[in-house]
Amino acid sequence: MRGRLLLREARAMGESVPKAMSEADEPSAEAKRVLAKYDEAVQQFREAQGRDAIGTTATHKAMYLTSLCLFEMAKFDRSNYQRALERLRTTRKRYFDSPEGQAACLLEGDLLRTTGRPREAVIAYRRSLASVTDLRVYSNSWVPLDELRRRIMTAYRDFVEMGQFEQAFE
């Protein structure tokens, strides 16, 4: 619970802070405060994982939320992209059949797309969509159906705008 509150606080703090434009950019003092708040949340999620000795859904949630924090941290300090990608992939591989694994897969696609890796992004998006076998029974509290549609359409539009027609139509 505390980790989620810290995540919410970090998001609120980060709304008015400029994002990093490249890996070479040093985070501003404000961005460093936001990053510290995200770090606190990550620590809480890791502690939650450590307390879950039998690997229940609490571990799934903690791993996904850690991935989400790292993804959001990368907006302020691009050196976090690789850490986020590694955690997203681990979460996806371990828990693919869970809502957290499916959400991690979609977020992996978003991260790859925004970092200029369109071919890998398409693979992640395909994996994510392959897990949706019946829209009538689709249920994921992390990524509701409307959000899934919106994010896939955003990716499609981005590929078209960047002239990456092959990726857009894959």
Side-chain angles (χ1 to χ4, degrees):
M1 183 64 111
R2 177 148 167 69
R4 286 189 188 202
L5 291 172
L6 290 165
L7 172 58
R8 186 176 298 144
E9 286 178 33
R11 283 178 165 166
M13 289 170 62
E15 287 179 5
S16 62
V17 176
K19 310 299 186 260
M21 300 309 288
S22 72
E23 281 196 38
D25 288 348
E26 177 69 24
S28 67
E30 296 137 325
K32 287 179 181 178
R33 284 192 289 279
V34 172
L35 290 166
K37 188 63 71 173
Y38 276 117
D39 274 331
E40 284 183 67
V42 166
Q43 186 59 38
Q44 288 295 312
F45 296 133
R46 287 189 175 145
E47 287 176 16
Q49 282 179 253
R51 289 189 300 267
D52 185 19
I54 58 173
T56 65
T57 58
T59 295
H60 302 196
K61 291 174 184 175
M63 284 192 68
Y64 173 68
L65 289 166
T66 298
S67 302
L68 183 60
C69 285
L70 293 171
F71 175 82
E72 293 187 12
M73 289 170 74
K75 295 174 186 176
F76 302 99
D77 181 355
R78 291 191 174 247
S79 67
N80 285 300
Y81 273 121
Q82 191 58 40
R83 288 176 53 208
L85 183 59
E86 289 167 8
R87 180 55 71 132
L88 286 165
R89 285 180 170 162
T90 299
T91 303
R92 170 183 49 86
K93 289 175 184 176
R94 284 188 188 168
Y95 308 114
F96 188 75
D97 290 332
S98 73
E100 294 79 15
Q102 293 166 356
C105 189
L106 183 61
L107 194 57
E108 179 183 353
D110 293 344
L111 184 141
L112 291 164
R113 178 176 47 85
T114 60
T115 56
R117 296 162 70 175
R119 291 194 189 287
E120 293 173 85
V122 167
I123 292 167
Y125 289 131
R126 278 186 176 167
R127 269 191 210 111
S128 183
L129 290 174
S131 71
V132 181
T133 55
D134 187 348
L135 292 176
R136 293 172 299 194
V137 296
Y138 176 85
S139 177
N140 187 320
S141 60
W142 301 108
V143 186
L145 186 57
D146 287 342
E147 182 180 342
L148 175 67
R149 287 181 175 140
R150 180 186 56 75
R151 286 169 65 183
I152 294 297
M153 288 307 298
T154 297
Y156 172 79
R157 280 191 218 93
D158 282 356
F159 289 138
V160 169
E161 286 176 15
M162 292 184 286
Q164 298 171 334
F165 300 106
E166 183 179 324
Q167 281 74 27
F169 291 105
E170 277 191 43

